[in-house]
Amino acid sequence: YQRRVRDETENSLLQTFELFLKDLDEVKVGAIQHLAEFLEVLSPNVRMNYLTLLQELHDTPNWRFRKFIAKQLGSISRLFPPSVCFNVIIRIAMKLSTDSVARVRKSATKHIAELLAHLNSDTDKSMSNELTRQIQEMASKSYFVDRQTYVDICGHLFPHFSKQNEGVEEFIQTFLPLLLQLSNDKVPNVRLILAKQLNNIVQHDQLRVHSSVIESVYKLVHDRDKDVSHFASPLSSIIPAGFVCNAQPDALASNQTVSAVENMEESPKEQSLPTVPEVEMGEGMHVE
């Protein structure tokens, strides 16, 4: 009897939810915002059927819908086994991390660490190793926004690693070299994001005395771009007195931030869409 009642209740919920998804965007957005909560009350078998919907929503031209999916990636991933997370949710997360709209990217990158931890919980480490490889690849991508995203991901990864036994050492070996390499990036905006993230990362004692970190901090503090050097200035306290940086920064030829043309690539996508209720309309549309 209880099973029958549950099935009837679930079918009723499914019908209502699917009606919302077919309604106007103003109604549809409410259903999408609570997708993770809805999936949580479904039985595991029925929940699996909604992976297709998840794949469709992350590809929608409406950037606000993509942002709401990105913000729930962590909660959604916990509802599925690591193998499903790897085959479906990781692909969605990495695509949203390189989205053309800055807000979508920022929402997605916040959950990459949680997804990596979920994959690490499985005995098959090939999945977490593959995600690590995909993250590392972003550090050398030709598009500067992808390199910025690598810096942001590292900024979210480090707190997770620092809570684990030998986690900091793993972060140093796996992500830090590629991260510090970006102190020589030719695009000032990449170096600026790096300076911001290092302000949090170097708070850990093990990194404050790391020679490569000190060298990169020195470069950023003395960067020719005034915005980069401004955000790096709080880091100057870790530079020992009389320190001399032997490696000359080769990415300081440009003194200007990314051109207006590059920055405007995303703005039309955000501005051309109709206003949707309960979206963070108070936020600016700037792209970092």
Side-chain angles (χ1 to χ4, degrees), residues 45-163:
N45 289 337
V46 174
R47 191 183 297 152
M48 294 291 285
N49 296 331
Y50 275 81
L51 289 172
T52 302
L53 171 66
L54 193 62
Q55 291 172 309
E56 291 174 357
L57 288 174
H58 97 280
D59 240 352
T60 175
N62 189 321
W63 70 268
R64 292 184 176 91
F65 290 173
R66 300 199 304 274
K67 186 188 74 169
F68 289 134
I69 292 298
K71 292 176 74 171
Q72 299 174 79
L73 286 171
S75 300
I76 291 174
S77 69
R78 292 193 294 271
L79 301 175
F80 296 93
S83 58
V84 174
C85 180
F86 177 74
N87 291 320
V88 179
I89 300 174
I90 293 301
R91 293 181 183 180
I92 293 172
M94 294 307 288
K95 185 169 183 180
L96 293 178
S97 293
T98 58
D99 197 272
S100 59
V101 178
R103 292 195 202 177
V104 178
R105 292 196 304 273
K106 288 184 177 296
S107 296
T109 55
K110 290 178 181 178
H111 298 286
I112 297 297
E114 195 171 347
L115 298 179
L116 183 59
H118 188 41
L119 295 184
N120 264 324
S121 67
D122 195 88
T123 53
D124 180 6
K125 299 304 177 185
S126 64
M127 295 184 293
S128 59
N129 290 341
E130 173 59 21
L131 177 56
T132 297
R133 185 192 66 79
Q134 292 180 28
I135 295 171
Q136 290 172 326
E137 280 186 345
M138 300 184 78
S140 56
K141 292 284 188 179
S142 58
Y143 188 31
F144 80 97
V145 171
D146 291 337
R147 302 195 300 276
Q148 280 186 187
T149 300
Y150 176 77
V151 176
D152 279 332
I153 290 176
C154 286
H156 294 296
L157 283 173
F158 184 73
H160 283 257
F161 277 91
S162 63
K163 296 174 184 176

Side-chain angles (χ1 to χ4, degrees), residues 147 179-192 194 216 219-220 222-226 228 247-258:
R147 302 195 300 276
L179 181 66
L180 298 181
Q181 176 181 299
L182 295 175
S183 63
N184 289 324
D185 199 277
K186 294 182 179 180
V187 178
N189 284 28
V190 176
R191 306 197 303 274
L192 182 127
L194 176 60
S216 295
K219 294 176 187 177
L220 295 170
H222 295 86
D223 199 288
R224 295 178 189 173
D225 185 279
K226 62 181 181 180
V228 176
Q248 291 300 316
D250 55 326
L252 304 184
S254 171
N255 294 338
Q256 300 178 352
T257 52
V258 178

Side-chain angles (χ1 to χ4, degrees), residues 239-275:
I239 302 174
F243 176 80
V244 177
C245 181
N246 296 322
Q248 291 300 316
D250 55 326
L252 304 184
S254 171
N255 294 338
Q256 300 178 352
T257 52
V258 178
S259 67
V261 174
E262 288 174 313
N263 271 335
M264 288 176 63
E265 286 181 359
E266 294 151 341
S267 299
K269 291 183 176 63
E270 297 184 359
Q271 295 171 352
S272 61
L273 292 167
T275 301

Side-chain angles (χ1 to χ4, degrees), residues 29 33 37 54 63 213:
V29 69
Q33 279 181 295
E37 297 168 62
L54 193 62
W63 70 268
V213 172

